[in-house]
Amino acid sequence: MAQPGDLIIVGTYEEFVVGYTIVPEDDNEKKWSLVQTIACHSHKGSVRSLANGGAYLASGSLDETVQLYDVVNQVECTLLNHHSGTVNALAFTENGTHLITAGADGMIAIIRSGSWFTEKKWVGTHSGSGVTGLSVHPSGKLALSIGTDNRLVTWNLVKGRKAYVTDLSSRCRNGQGVGDVQWSPSGSSYAVYMTSHVEVYSVETAGVSHTITCSEKVTAITFLDDDVILVGEENGEASVHKLLPPSKSGEEGEKEEVVRFQAHERRVKCARSFGPVKDAARDAIQFVTASSTGNICVWELEDDEVEKICEVNTGCRITCMTLVDLAKELQIKLENDEAAEKAISNLVCLLRDISHINSERSAKTLRRAKKRTASESSDTSIVSKKKSSSQPNSLNSPSTSLKKEKRLKKKIKKNKSSSAGQWDVSSIE
């Protein structure tokens, strides 16, 4: 459900990323206006893709770069230039921890949010052809990609490799390729559109569960619910289809066109769902569509009737669109700020306690050291006094030196008498 303060962000051929905020009028939940609050000229080429993941917004461009924004603080974060071709598709994982980028160079890259470090690169994923579409499963464990080779590749994001490849070339009509791919809200199915028809695939049966054929070229799709899908066409019309379960296993289910209406004067370029209305009194779904002529319209579907809630003309040629629940992100930021402030306060108290304990320990250690030093010095003085009184220095004693000299003279005289013919030994005087 759309809420006041939610952002509708579009990319344009004129190289701008433009954001509009939903503003209520006269406290009427069905009378809103769209006010422009963001306008970023961050690229040097037309903007071809947008994705929102938590507080981050990513835009991909013809200039081969990916620009990151902090939508809460409304500032640019960083610029990525790991592609060597147009960045055709972007998608965040459900928890916003990773950004997946895909380009005309045939490469798909996995980027970690926050640090924006490239963790994985898959080169030549679609036989060297360009990648044109991406969609991540709500669980964050799988992803789908499509390319100009008309192949649908399922990726195992847990193991970081291809799971399987489906060739859709035989299902494309009039020589046209696959347009886009999108998961349902629960991830139980996914849809791809090709020229003038849409195919819905069941994950359980791994086959086509529904086929929707249109009179005009299909230009946009979005799931309004698991069993409700919106299809936008080249002539500006849009139709909503109810997908009924198949009566027999292995067969396609029936579909019911709930409503068809003129959404725009020309091509419906993008469509996104706000989800069900949070009101037990009525069963309604709100969604938004954008035209290549620059119009953005917010709609509400109730039963089989569609009502336009608000509209704005951007004055630009719209190429892509995404939605941001700004109120939710602001609440998360506030909670994170409060949690961070509490954590810092607790850390300061802990450091103070540690400092107090360490100071007490230091004081005790110092007192013990002083006592030990004083005790050792007193013991040393007592020992030195005992040694000086009981053992006088004999080397310096004069009586000892005289005795030695007398014994030496006697020994010399004896040697003189008994050593005739031997070497003459002179006495020491």
Side-chain angles (χ1 to χ4, degrees):
M1 176 180 176
Q3 299 285 347
D6 285 355
L7 288 174
I8 301 172
I9 300 177
V10 296
T12 68
Y13 275 108
E14 289 77 11
E15 306 174 356
F16 281 89
V17 173
V18 186
Y20 291 85
T21 303
I22 296 176
V23 178
E25 294 182 2
D26 303 327
D27 297 328
N28 189 337
E29 64 178 7
K30 286 191 177 182
K31 191 175 182 181
W32 298 340
S33 61
L34 297 177
V35 179
Q36 181 180 320
T37 53
I38 298 174
C40 299
H41 191 192
S42 305
H43 294 284
K44 297 180 180 179
S46 62
V47 181
R48 296 299 180 87
S49 53
L50 285 170
N52 172 57
Y56 295 113
L57 172 72
S59 62
S61 172
L62 181 68
D63 64 7
E64 306 178 357
T65 65
V66 178
Q67 179 68 57
L68 281 308
Y69 313 84
D70 182 338
V71 292
V72 175
N73 298 311
Q74 296 190 6
V75 294
E76 295 179 358
C77 295
T78 189
L79 185 71
L80 306 177
N81 54 6
H82 53 281
H83 282 284
S84 58
T86 303
V87 183
N88 291 322
L90 297 168
F92 278 92
T93 55
E94 183 65 21
N95 52 12
T97 58
H98 291 82
L99 168 68
I100 305 176
T101 70
D105 55 358
M107 182 178 71
I108 297 177
I110 311 294
I111 314 295
R112 177 170 288 278
S113 299
S115 65
W116 308 116
F117 173 74
T118 304
E119 293 191 348
K120 187 77 175 180
K121 284 185 180 180
W122 293 312
V123 182
T125 54
H126 284 264
S127 305
S129 302
V131 185
T132 57
L134 277 175
S135 185
V136 179
H137 192 270
S139 67
K141 296 179 180 180
L142 295 174
L144 298 172
S145 68
I146 56 171
T148 54
D149 60 349
N150 294 329
R151 292 184 177 183
L152 176 70
V153 179
T154 304
W155 298 93
N156 186 329
L157 298 181
V158 177
K159 296 183 178 180
R161 59 179 176 81
K162 286 183 183 179
Y164 48 87
V165 180
T166 306
D167 192 348
L168 301 176
S169 300
S170 61
R171 309 186 71 86
C172 297
R173 303 171 185 175
N174 303 325
Q176 300 291 328
V178 182
D180 198 6
V181 59
Q182 189 176 129
W183 285 100
S184 65
S186 68
S188 60
S189 60
Y190 59 90
V192 295
Y193 70 83
M194 298 163 280
T195 316
S196 59
H197 73 288
V198 180
E199 293 183 347
V200 181
Y201 289 77
S202 170
V203 173
E204 183 180 356
T205 62
V208 179
S209 61
H210 298 83
T211 301
I212 301 170
T213 303
C214 302
S215 58
E216 295 287 333
K217 181 181 178 181
V218 178
T219 54
I221 58 172
T222 190
F223 279 94
L224 303 183
D225 205 345
D226 275 339
D227 56 353
V228 181
I229 189 170
L230 171 76
V231 180
E233 301 176 20
E234 180 76 22
N235 61 357
E237 288 188 353
S239 57
V240 178
H241 302 265
K242 177 76 172 179
L243 306 178
L244 304 175
S247 57
K248 292 182 180 180
S249 177
E251 293 184 357
E252 289 192 23
E254 296 294 327
K255 66 273 182 188
E256 176 188 344
E257 185 175 276
V258 178
V259 64
R260 176 175 287 272
F261 61 101
Q262 190 71 38
H264 300 279
E265 293 181 1
R266 296 183 185 177
R267 179 192 311 164
V268 180
K269 186 63 178 178
C270 318
R272 292 290 182 269
S273 174
F274 280 112
V277 174
K278 298 176 182 178
D279 187 352
R282 57 196 184 98
D283 184 14
I285 300 174
Q286 294 174 343
F287 58 93
V288 58
T289 61
S291 170
S292 57
T293 58
N295 282 63
I296 300 173
C297 297
V298 179
W299 308 86
E300 181 173 292
L301 170 67
E302 188 171 7
D303 296 329
D304 58 351
E305 294 184 0
V306 174
E307 180 183 357
K308 184 188 294 184
I309 299 176
C310 58
E311 180 181 8
V312 70
N313 189 290
T314 63
C316 301
R317 292 174 292 173
I318 295 173
T319 57
C320 50
M321 178 173 62
T322 190
L323 307 178
V324 179
D325 188 347
L326 189 59
K328 176 184 175 182
E329 299 308 324
L330 288 172
Q331 180 63 30
I332 291 173
K333 182 179 185 297
L334 180 62
E335 291 174 357
N336 289 341
D337 289 346
E338 290 177 352
E341 185 177 352
K342 186 176 180 180
I344 291 171
S345 177
N346 291 338
L347 180 61
V348 169
C349 293
L350 179 62
L351 290 174
R352 285 176 181 172
D353 292 341
I354 292 173
S355 177
H356 180 66
I357 292 170
N358 288 339
S359 62
E360 287 184 349
R361 287 179 178 175
S362 299
K364 288 181 180 178
T365 304
L366 183 60
R367 287 195 295 270
R368 288 174 182 173
K370 286 181 178 179
K371 288 181 180 179
R372 191 182 301 113
T373 304
S375 176
E376 289 177 354
S377 61
S378 62
D379 293 343
T380 304
S381 61
I382 293 170
V383 170
S384 61
K385 287 180 181 179
K386 287 182 178 179
K387 285 184 177 180
S388 60
S389 60
S390 60
Q391 296 180 358
N393 192 349
S394 58
L395 293 175
N396 297 327
S397 175
S399 59
T400 304
S401 58
L402 290 173
K403 289 179 180 179
K404 283 185 177 182
E405 187 176 355
K406 287 180 180 180
R407 284 198 299 270
L408 185 57
K409 285 182 178 180
K410 288 180 178 180
K411 189 175 180 180
I412 290 171
K413 288 179 179 178
K414 185 178 180 181
N415 288 336
K416 279 184 178 181
S417 61
S418 61
S419 61
Q422 294 183 0
W423 292 341
D424 183 19
V425 179
S426 303
S427 61
I428 298 174
E429 297 293 343

